[in-house]
Amino acid sequence: MLEEAQDVGFNYVVWSEGTMPGWPVIPSDLSFFDTYGAAQEHWQDLTIFDDTPVWEEAPVYYFRSVEVMLEDIKKANGLTKEQDMNYNNLENLKDELSKLGFGKKVAEDMQKQMEKGAGSFELHDRVMGSKGQVDLTLHFRQSGQSENYYLNKYDVRLLNGKPLAEGEKYLVIRPNEKEPGKNDVKSFDQVEQAISFFKVQHGDALLAAGKDAGHKTDLARMEQGNVNYLEKDFARTYKNPGIGQTFFVERGKGFTAEQAVNLIQGRAVFRDDLIKLGGEPYAAWNKLDMDNQKDRYHNFQMLQYHVPTYGFILKDTLDKFQIKEMGDEQKAGKLMRELEKGNRPLVTVLKGDHEQKLFMETSPRYGQLNFFREDGRPEKREQFLKPEHQQEIKLGKEKGQAKEQEQGLTV
């Protein structure tokens, strides 16, 4: 509690020694202040205006700096610098990672880094999306006032090219300047970092992918600072490693990893826990605006389609189509949850008398659903509409054609 108070700028604390002298201090006894003057004034008020009856022993009031109090507590508990990791902070961060949908391995890697006591560190993860490999980088930093760590943001990048195989890394191999005949090998989890490091080399260097230097595939080669070889399938990735986005989070609240992965693949996700600047909650479908330039922070702008004001209601839209899963309440609920996360679930649609398996995703901007074959090719949605809604589209087209003809006559 003292460390968290210090992190947000409260440098002084006033408290009483429990209800009576010698009693243990509990959190509700502590009052925090940002300035010395405010803390001193409160301490004096407690001392002067204490209304304890004269026949009872009055509590003792204390006034100290948070920093000194923390040091005393650590010394009293025999904590060394190596033992000084805040395990409450660790458990809180594990809970945040769980809420954001990151796996057990990320949490284990985080604990190892925290135990080392580094001022800041990055963790990496990767998932296979429907449009290719998505790399994730989580950024942790330590408070300047305490040993607490914070996760404030993470990056996602959709790889433009062939993904790594299981257990592989990107490798940059260079001659060792101090020991002729030997090489230095630097490994990377993400292609963008590997390419950036490779490009700044001035001598001979090799960029490869593999489990180690003895089991690798050459991707790019450099002699005396000039690239003289690019593997054919890797050339596109080398020139453009992919598209990325930074997502900011606060204490485990924000877009989850699953939502972020789907957003960077161009799909929309639904959130009902959004807050306006004035503090009013709202719900909306969210989609990255990839048709326009990024902002000054190199992020795509976020398009939002508010619910219900924009008009796209997922269940109402699903009910217009002949989707077999919508006939089962349990399966319908699961399908809607998957679509809200931005996923592309496989559904069974009726086309005439025949069933067909297709992938489906939402298109809130146009109030529609999109259907895709298993090879990724799109299918016309109109053929899967219920008969009554097919008639609506037909009437709409006829009205549109009549209006065009009318306009043509007036010209």
Side-chain angles (χ1 to χ4, degrees), residues 216-245:
K216 60 179 175 55
T217 300
D218 294 355
L219 302 175
R221 194 179 299 116
M222 177 186 293
E223 288 186 10
Q224 298 303 311
N226 296 313
V227 178
N228 60 7
Y229 169 75
L230 275 176
E231 196 266 337
K232 184 179 177 182
D233 293 336
F234 184 70
R236 182 166 59 110
T237 306
Y238 186 83
K239 294 172 184 175
N240 179 16
I243 56 172
Q245 182 81 0

Side-chain angles (χ1 to χ4, degrees), residues 4 14 23 28 95 100 113 128 148 180 198 288 342 362 405:
E4 289 187 0
V14 176
W23 287 30
S28 59
D95 183 56
L100 292 170
Q113 292 296 326
M128 282 305 301
N148 283 353
F198 176 75
L288 295 179
T362 63
Q405 291 174 356

Side-chain angles (χ1 to χ4, degrees), residues 90-278:
L90 172 64
E91 292 305 313
N92 288 338
L93 283 173
K94 283 183 176 180
D95 183 56
E96 290 179 21
L97 289 177
S98 177
K99 288 177 181 176
L100 292 170
F102 289 98
K104 185 179 178 181
K105 185 180 182 303
V106 174
E108 291 172 349
D109 291 344
M110 176 189 69
Q111 180 167 347
K112 291 176 184 177
Q113 292 296 326
M114 289 176 68
E115 288 172 345
K116 291 179 182 178
S120 63
F121 60 89
E122 293 179 357
L123 297 180
H124 303 286
D125 197 7
R126 69 170 69 110
V127 298
M128 282 305 301
S130 60
K131 295 186 178 181
Q133 178 179 302
V134 180
D135 292 334
L136 299 99
T137 303
L138 294 79
H139 300 272
F140 292 83
R141 67 169 182 84
Q142 192 174 39
S143 167
Q145 305 296 326
S146 72
E147 287 73 30
N148 283 353
Y149 285 90
Y150 296 93
L151 170 63
N152 294 324
K153 65 179 182 178
Y154 66 93
D155 304 325
V156 295
R157 179 167 289 276
L158 177 61
L159 182 67
N160 184 17
K162 183 180 177 182
L164 286 174
E166 185 68 29
E168 288 188 341
K169 289 182 178 289
Y170 293 101
L171 309 169
V172 176
I173 304 170
R174 307 167 293 169
N176 188 308
E177 295 179 359
K178 296 181 179 179
E179 299 183 53
K182 291 189 176 181
N183 291 326
D184 289 329
V185 180
K186 191 171 178 64
S187 63
F188 299 87
D189 289 292
Q190 297 189 337
V191 68
E192 184 182 23
Q193 295 175 334
I195 291 172
S196 297
F197 184 76
F198 176 75
K199 284 182 175 180
V200 298
Q201 303 307 308
H202 300 293
D204 296 346
L206 175 68
L207 174 58
K211 294 186 177 181
D212 53 52
H215 305 83
K216 60 179 175 55
T217 300
D218 294 355
L219 302 175
R221 194 179 299 116
M222 177 186 293
E223 288 186 10
Q224 298 303 311
N226 296 313
V227 178
N228 60 7
Y229 169 75
L230 275 176
E231 196 266 337
K232 184 179 177 182
D233 293 336
F234 184 70
R236 182 166 59 110
T237 306
Y238 186 83
K239 294 172 184 175
N240 179 16
I243 56 172
Q245 182 81 0
T246 299
F247 291 90
F248 293 89
V249 295
E250 183 177 0
R251 297 184 182 275
K253 294 182 180 179
F255 287 100
T256 66
E258 184 177 24
Q259 290 171 334
V261 166
N262 286 325
L263 283 165
I264 201 64
Q265 294 180 96
R267 295 197 285 275
V269 305
F270 175 76
R271 283 183 59 185
D272 60 2
D273 59 348
L274 298 166
I275 305 292
K276 295 180 181 178
L277 289 176

